[in-house]
Amino acid sequence: MTDKANDTGDQGRLRLQWPTFRGSAVGWGILAVSQLLFIAAVVLNVVESGEGWTVVDALLIVASVVVAAVFVTGTVATIRRPRPAPPAVDR
């Protein structure tokens, strides 16, 4: 038999899957908090300077918000679906 006889037609088809976030929820949470504090600092700096928003400021904020969203998603994903722990062994 050839492989074509066993082919179900799904090979080569891309499927969307939820990304697997590895690590601890604490680590993702620390990254998320630090990124949100960075966003707050940039916004506060722009507001206090009184010079208004520049293109660079806007791009920095947009990129930081995207990164913060990934960090928050990683935090929630690792809390909701933790990786299984290795089996306990009595010694």
Side-chain angles (χ1 to χ4, degrees), residues 7-91:
D7 188 18
T8 61
D10 288 339
Q11 288 183 345
R13 189 179 280 185
L14 295 176
R15 294 184 179 160
L16 293 176
Q17 294 180 352
W18 187 259
T20 303
F21 290 93
R22 301 198 181 262
S24 69
V26 173
W28 284 103
I30 290 170
L31 289 172
V33 168
S34 65
Q35 190 67 28
L36 292 173
L37 288 174
F38 175 74
I39 293 169
V42 170
V43 170
L44 187 64
N45 188 20
V46 169
V47 169
E48 286 183 350
S49 70
E51 296 176 6
W53 291 87
T54 64
V55 175
V56 175
D57 292 333
L59 289 176
L60 186 63
I61 290 295
V62 169
S64 296
V65 167
V66 169
V67 170
V70 170
F71 290 160
V72 170
T73 304
T75 303
V76 172
T78 53
I79 289 172
R80 292 183 69 183
R81 288 181 234 99
R83 292 181 8 195
V89 177
D90 290 334
R91 292 186 186 212

